[in-house]
């Protein structure tokens, strides 16, 4: 049991040392939860806005001190305080594990490579990072014999565990999906959601990425890459459906549903949120009899539903498992099967700069990686700071020919390396 092992570490005075990078809504929540666990110690918090790091630590009752160097960070940690910094490189060496909660592919990429260099465990809450360069990060961390994982709590990682659970029982996964928590409006921008964001204490840019669908698309792309599932169509179906209808809707058309094939990821709009679901098929008669006895229905399709995901509250479990056992909650298993490509949110002028995820210019759409590659479609995770080479109409999928990427971007460079490894057969 993980809790008994953590208590043992606490008694021995050998807690897991954790640094958290990103002290926004999710990061500060992780910090609070980590301080509630025995056998875990938050030794450092980093945020590009230093005041946020201080506030997040102060809210837990811990004592923080700003540091400017690695030596200062070690001194503060050894004295029992929390090292605060605006630059991650200052604090990573003092930790065994890093929780990355920036939500930004570029920033997340920098932190991932820094953590890799130090051969520390990385637990990311940044599904945008994972959907963009997760395959190569998983490959590099495995080569370094340390762990990289998406943290438990958000829907993709929770679903990854459910998929593994159902497959271990000999059930075929027909569809794995989530309930979308917000309305869907592809035109949403930080300006149009600013009032709502203020009510929730959220960044308008983050909320815009939720509402325009990009977050859901990236989450399901990352899930597909971790489980071998794909999408049934570009953008998935996303029907309005109730919990009771899952087993009738997310099944093949031949059985009265909406899917043209089995083994996909998707999402639902309706009272499924904030839960997640897996629709499975059982062909074995004995398993079907058991499931009917257990009041799961007569089959052959069954819906397993988890009515919640607890976001930052669950992340510490991934930290403990990764450090203690090298256990990965969720990571890509090879070359990407699903991509989240960039689509013009409005008409774009030639030479216009793109502002990326949650901005005013593009939104993300999940599609089969093979189809995206054949079309030359560019992932939304690498377009921030790029400039258009031509006029692009609203609703067009952007291609590599359409944009001049920012070649100084770390995530662009890492993505190009990932593509080389895929084409050369290293990532399969």
């Amino acid at each position: 049991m993980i809790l008994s092992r953590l208590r043992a570490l606490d008694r021995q005075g050998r807690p897991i040392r954790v640094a958290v990078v990103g002290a926004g809504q999710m990061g500060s929540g992780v910090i609070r939860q980590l301080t509630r666990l025995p056998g875990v110690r938050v030794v450092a918090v980093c945020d590009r806005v230093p005041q946020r790091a201080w506030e997040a630590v102060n809210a837990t009752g811990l004592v923080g001190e700003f540091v400017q160097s690695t030596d200062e960070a070690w001194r503060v940690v050894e004295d029992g305080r929390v090292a605060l910094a605006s630059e991650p490189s200052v604090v990573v060496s003092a930790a065994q594990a890093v929780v990355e909660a920036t939500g930004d592919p570029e920033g997340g990429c920098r932190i991932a490579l820094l953590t890799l260099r130090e051969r520390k465990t990385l637990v990311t809450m940044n599904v945008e990072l994972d959907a963009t360069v997760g395959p190569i990060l998983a490959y590099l961390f495995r080569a370094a014999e340390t762990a990289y994982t998406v943290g438990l709590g958000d829907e993709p990682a929770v679903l990854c565990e459910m998929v593994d659970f159902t497959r271990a029982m000999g059930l075929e996964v027909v569809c794995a999906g989530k309930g979308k928590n917000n309305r869907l409006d592809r035109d949403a921008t930080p300006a149009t959601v600013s009032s709502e964001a203020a009510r929730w204490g959220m960044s308008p840019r983050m909320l815009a990425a939720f509402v325009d669908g990009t977050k859901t698309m990236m989450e399901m792309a990352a899930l597909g890459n971790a489980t071998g599932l794909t999408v049934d169509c570009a953008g998935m179906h996303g029907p309005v459906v109730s919990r009771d209808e899952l087993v009738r809707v997310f099944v093949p058309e031949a059985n009265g549903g909406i899917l043209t094939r089995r083994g996909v990821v998707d999402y639902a709009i309706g009272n499924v949120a904030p839960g997640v679901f897996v629709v499975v098929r059982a062909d074995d008669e004995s398993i079907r009899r058991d499931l009917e006895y257990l009041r799961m229905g007569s089959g052959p399709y069954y819906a397993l539903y988890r009515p919640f995901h607890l976001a930052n509250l669950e992340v510490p479990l991934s930290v403990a498992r990764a450090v203690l056992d090298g256990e990965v909650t969720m990571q890509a298993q090879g070359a990407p099967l699903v991509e989240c490509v960039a689509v013009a949110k409005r008409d774009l002028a030639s030479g216009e700069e793109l502002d990326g995820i949650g901005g005013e210019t593009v939104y993300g759409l999940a599609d089969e990686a093979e189809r995206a590659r054949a079309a030359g479609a560019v992932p939304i995770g690498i377009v921030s700071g790029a400039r258009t080479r031509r006029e692009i109409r609203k609703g067009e999928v952007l291609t590599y020919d359409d944009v001049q990427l920012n070649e100084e971007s770390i995530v662009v460079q890492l993505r190009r390396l990932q593509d080389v490894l895929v084409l050369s057969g290293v990532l399969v």
Side-chain angles (χ1 to χ4, degrees), residues 83-154:
L84 307 177
S86 58
E87 173 51 54
S89 62
V90 173
V91 298
V92 166
S93 64
Q96 293 168 270
V98 175
V99 176
E100 188 270 309
T102 67
D104 169 47
E106 180 72 14
C109 206
R110 289 185 61 241
I111 295 155
L113 294 179
L114 175 63
T115 307
L116 177 67
R117 186 184 70 188
E118 297 277 350
R119 299 203 172 198
K120 308 289 186 175
T121 293
L122 179 63
V123 178
T124 184
M125 300 177 69
N126 188 345
V127 73
E128 295 86 349
L129 171 73
D130 193 72
T132 306
V133 290
I136 191 171
L137 288 177
Y139 171 80
L140 292 173
F141 273 77
R142 284 195 299 268
E145 298 183 335
T146 188
Y148 162 79
T149 182
V150 177
L152 193 63
D154 271 347

Side-chain angles (χ1 to χ4, degrees), residues 152-175:
L152 193 63
D154 271 347
E155 295 100 326
V158 171
L159 278 166
C160 196
E161 289 202 334
M162 289 179 68
V163 167
D164 188 59
F165 169 73
T166 55
R167 284 173 170 169
M169 290 188 292
L171 301 172
E172 177 195 359
V173 175
V174 176
C175 181

Side-chain angles (χ1 to χ4, degrees), residues 371-394:
R371 185 160 53 207
R373 196 157 42 242
V378 64
I380 191 173
I382 64 172
V383 301
S384 181
R387 289 194 177 275
T388 57
R389 288 185 168 128
R390 66 174 181 87
E391 292 183 357
I392 300 169
R393 303 297 295 175
K394 177 180 179 179

Side-chain angles (χ1 to χ4, degrees), residues 64-385:
E65 181 177 328
F66 287 101
V67 298
Q68 300 293 329
S69 69
T70 298
D71 288 343
E72 285 184 22
W74 272 108
R75 175 183 56 77
V76 167
V77 171
E78 288 171 354
D79 287 345
R81 299 188 297 279
V82 180
L84 307 177
S86 58
E87 173 51 54
S89 62
V90 173
V91 298
V92 166
S93 64
Q96 293 168 270
V98 175
V99 176
E100 188 270 309
T102 67
D104 169 47
E106 180 72 14
C109 206
R110 289 185 61 241
I111 295 155
L113 294 179
L114 175 63
T115 307
L116 177 67
R117 186 184 70 188
E118 297 277 350
R119 299 203 172 198
K120 308 289 186 175
T121 293
L122 179 63
V123 178
T124 184
M125 300 177 69
N126 188 345
V127 73
E128 295 86 349
L129 171 73
D130 193 72
T132 306
V133 290
I136 191 171
L137 288 177
Y139 171 80
L140 292 173
F141 273 77
R142 284 195 299 268
E145 298 183 335
T146 188
Y148 162 79
T149 182
V150 177
L152 193 63
D154 271 347
E155 295 100 326
V158 171
L159 278 166
C160 196
E161 289 202 334
M162 289 179 68
V163 167
D164 188 59
F165 169 73
T166 55
R167 284 173 170 169
M169 290 188 292
L171 301 172
E172 177 195 359
V173 175
V174 176
C175 181
K178 60 167 281 185
K180 191 177 184 308
N181 294 303
N182 312 87
R183 69 190 186 281
L184 179 62
D185 176 7
R186 300 289 190 199
D187 298 329
T189 67
T192 64
V193 302
S194 60
S195 297
E196 185 179 353
R199 287 198 302 272
W200 288 101
M202 294 177 65
S203 156
R205 192 179 182 99
M206 178 185 293
L207 184 56
F210 288 173
V211 175
D212 73 14
T214 300
K215 184 75 169 182
T216 293
M217 297 292 150
M218 300 201 90
E219 287 177 330
M220 295 299 98
L223 175 64
N225 294 336
T227 58
L229 301 172
T230 186
V231 293
D232 195 40
C233 59
M236 303 176 284
H237 293 283
V240 177
V241 60
S242 70
R243 299 172 188 174
D244 293 337
E245 295 172 318
L246 292 171
V247 75
R248 295 193 295 274
V249 173
F250 289 105
V251 296
E253 292 174 339
N255 299 104
I258 62 174
L259 304 181
T260 63
R261 55 180 161 176
R262 305 199 295 257
V264 300
V265 294
D266 216 304
Y267 69 101
I269 296 174
N271 72 356
V272 177
V276 294
F277 64 90
V278 178
V279 174
V280 299
R281 178 184 172 95
D283 290 321
D284 185 280
E285 285 296 330
S286 62
I287 293 177
R288 289 171 64 173
R289 283 197 300 272
D290 288 340
L291 289 170
E292 186 168 8
Y293 171 74
L294 294 168
R295 301 184 181 180
M296 292 296 294
S298 57
Y301 297 102
Y302 309 86
L304 305 180
Y305 176 70
R306 188 188 198 240
F308 59 89
H309 69 283
L310 301 181
N312 52 273
L313 301 181
E314 298 185 64
V315 173
L317 296 175
S318 288
V319 175
R321 292 169 181 170
V323 172
L324 294 176
D325 300 320
E327 180 182 329
V328 168
T329 303
M330 172 178 156
Q331 68 172 209
Q333 296 304 300
L337 295 177
V338 184
E339 291 284 7
C340 188
V341 301
V343 181
K345 190 175 282 189
R346 56 170 171 76
D347 290 348
L348 302 173
S350 180
E352 185 166 353
E353 183 173 340
L354 303 178
D355 54 0
I357 298 166
E360 299 179 355
T361 57
V362 291
Y363 65 84
L365 203 68
D367 202 357
E368 288 182 276
E370 187 175 338
R371 185 160 53 207
R373 196 157 42 242
V378 64
I380 191 173
I382 64 172
V383 301
S384 181

